[in-house]
Amino acid sequence: MRPLTFHKLLFQCLFLLIILFLVVIVALKFGAVPVSLYALGRDLLRVVLGQSSQISSDYGLIIQNIRLPRIILGIIVGASLSVAGTSFQALLRNSLADPYVLGVSSGAALGAILALIAEPHLTLPPAFGALLTPVCAFLGAAFTVTVVYFLGRRQGQIDSTTLLLGGVITASFLSAVIVFLMSTVNSSNTRGMVFWLMGNLSTSFQKSVYWFLAAGSFAATGLIYATANDLNLLLSGEKEAMHLGVDIRRVRLVVYIAASLLTGLAVSVSGAVGYVGLIVPHVTRLIFGSDHRTLIPTSALGGAIAVVVADTLARLVVAPNELPVGAVTAVVGAPLFIYLLRRRLT
């Protein structure tokens, strides 16, 4: 493994940041109502200078209240799912592992659905009510990853095939439970739940929610990045890493909790956006190498780019209607998953 320098890491991240900036500009420009680049640049400059009052009401509604919030949400969701996928692949030493395939997204979705069903019947302060869905989504993700992990262990070692099958079966079972709940429980928002489960970034939230998501995702990513060297050693196997001084239990606990938190936060606001945690780490690994000191930040930026692009396509393909963003990621991710599976089994 080649030595990593700060300048090299900075250059790689800066390159992806430039791509992300260009993608954000394109996402802000295109939609059911087109916006000129001149007007877009002028209004963004006014926002930066604190002159938002000078922005026309039409552009202000489109840019500030509709497109920009969902782009920010897409960046957070894409980065969170990609880092979670990178973590699961390293910890389980399986390039096919990701929150969606392992059923972690389904577990988080079930926790979020239960919170949405229970919330009208609870008398909670607004501050606690806003946190109920993310907390339940995290608990659902943590419970699911624990179940799948024990299903995949054989004689103290992780069996990749059993782990993968356990994740797929668990995801199918949890999806059936979700459909059962939505079919039997009376709710005025059933159609919205269905659309949300397929991956949806159109829901608007208060600014405090965006800050909470960003802070939680940044903290969880930081915890995972702190174990980057240990994850590199784990690639050679748990026994070998243990002989090299890696505290396997500590690394496993930190990464599982942090990756489950990332998945729970993402799913609680966007639904099950599939295959992002599978596609992006695989592509960034091919481009930037398997050193997790590089792979974690580049996967985060790559995931943000991927979800913003997918959401932009979801808004444009059948405009003025829109597709669920999860449908777009599945169209790309499912064939790639089949390719990776066949290549792994041959």
Side-chain angles (χ1 to χ4, degrees), residues 275 329-341:
Y275 297 104
T329 58
V331 167
V332 179
L336 180 59
F337 174 75
I338 294 173
Y339 165 74
L340 293 175
L341 181 62

Side-chain angles (χ1 to χ4, degrees), residues 19 89 119 126 131 172 195 228 231 234 263 265 269 292 309 329:
I19 296 178
Q89 290 172 12
E119 187 175 1
L131 296 177
S172 300
F195 197 76
L231 293 177
L234 275 172
T263 305
L265 288 174
V269 294
H292 285 84
V309 169
T329 58

Side-chain angles (χ1 to χ4, degrees), residues 33-36 39-40 42-43 55-65:
V33 178
V35 178
S36 67
L40 179 60
R42 179 195 61 200
D43 292 341
I55 300 176
S56 64
S57 57
D58 292 340
Y59 279 151
L61 176 64
I62 295 172
I63 300 301
Q64 288 184 277
N65 299 338

Side-chain angles (χ1 to χ4, degrees), residues 27 46 84 114 144 148 211 228 284 288 298 308 331 333 344:
R46 286 174 176 173
L114 291 174
T144 305
V148 173
W211 283 110
T284 52
F288 300 108
T298 54
V308 173
V331 167
R344 187 178 183 85

Side-chain angles (χ1 to χ4, degrees), residues 107-132:
L110 178 59
I113 287 291
L114 291 174
L116 291 173
I117 293 174
E119 187 175 1
H121 305 285
L122 301 175
T123 55
L124 296 174
F128 290 98
L131 296 177
L132 180 63

Side-chain angles (χ1 to χ4, degrees), residues 48-315:
V48 172
L49 296 177
Q51 301 174 354
S52 302
S53 59
Q54 300 182 16
I55 300 176
S56 64
S57 57
D58 292 340
Y59 279 151
L61 176 64
I62 295 172
I63 300 301
Q64 288 184 277
N65 299 338
I66 298 178
R67 294 184 186 173
L68 188 59
R70 70 186 295 164
I71 289 172
I72 294 174
L73 195 63
I75 291 173
I76 297 174
V77 168
S80 299
L81 292 176
S82 297
V83 173
T86 302
S87 306
F88 286 133
Q89 290 172 12
L91 202 60
L92 303 175
R93 301 191 304 282
N94 190 331
S95 60
L96 300 179
D98 91 308
Y100 190 79
V101 175
L102 291 176
V104 183
S105 292
S106 297
L110 178 59
I113 287 291
L114 291 174
L116 291 173
I117 293 174
E119 187 175 1
H121 305 285
L122 301 175
T123 55
L124 296 174
F128 290 98
L131 296 177
L132 180 63
T133 301
V135 169
C136 290
F138 163 69
L139 293 176
F143 175 76
T144 305
V145 76
T146 303
V147 171
V148 173
Y149 175 79
F150 281 107
L151 286 176
R153 285 187 68 87
R154 284 174 174 253
Q155 298 178 350
Q157 297 294 321
I158 296 176
D159 183 78
S160 298
T161 304
T162 306
L163 182 79
L164 185 63
L165 292 175
V168 172
I169 294 171
T170 302
S172 300
F173 173 76
L174 294 176
S175 298
V177 173
I178 291 172
V179 172
F180 174 79
L181 289 175
M182 295 176 61
S183 301
T184 56
V185 176
N186 293 326
S187 176
S188 59
N189 195 27
T190 302
R191 184 178 181 277
M193 287 182 180
V194 173
F195 197 76
W196 172 80
L197 282 173
M198 299 175 68
N200 178 29
L201 298 177
S202 62
T203 306
S204 59
F205 301 94
Q206 297 179 354
K207 289 184 178 180
S208 58
V209 176
Y210 292 98
W211 283 110
F212 173 77
L213 291 173
S217 299
F218 184 80
T221 301
L223 287 174
I224 293 173
Y225 192 79
T227 65
N229 287 322
D230 295 333
L231 293 177
N232 289 335
L233 296 175
L234 275 172
L235 293 178
S236 59
E238 291 188 359
K239 291 184 178 180
E240 291 78 2
M242 190 179 301
H243 292 156
L244 293 173
V246 177
D247 188 344
I248 302 296
R249 291 186 178 180
R250 179 187 62 83
V251 174
R252 187 184 297 154
L253 182 64
V254 170
V255 173
Y256 273 148
I257 291 177
S260 299
L261 177 60
L262 288 172
T263 305
L265 288 174
V267 172
S268 67
V269 294
S270 68
V273 181
Y275 297 104
V276 175
L278 173 68
I279 301 171
V280 176
H282 185 74
V283 173
T284 52
R285 192 179 292 110
L286 291 176
I287 298 174
F288 300 108
S290 58
D291 187 344
H292 285 84
R293 295 172 297 174
T294 299
L295 190 59
I296 291 173
T298 54
S299 291
L301 293 171
I305 294 170
V307 172
V308 173
V309 169
D311 184 57
T312 304
L313 292 175
R315 291 190 288 110

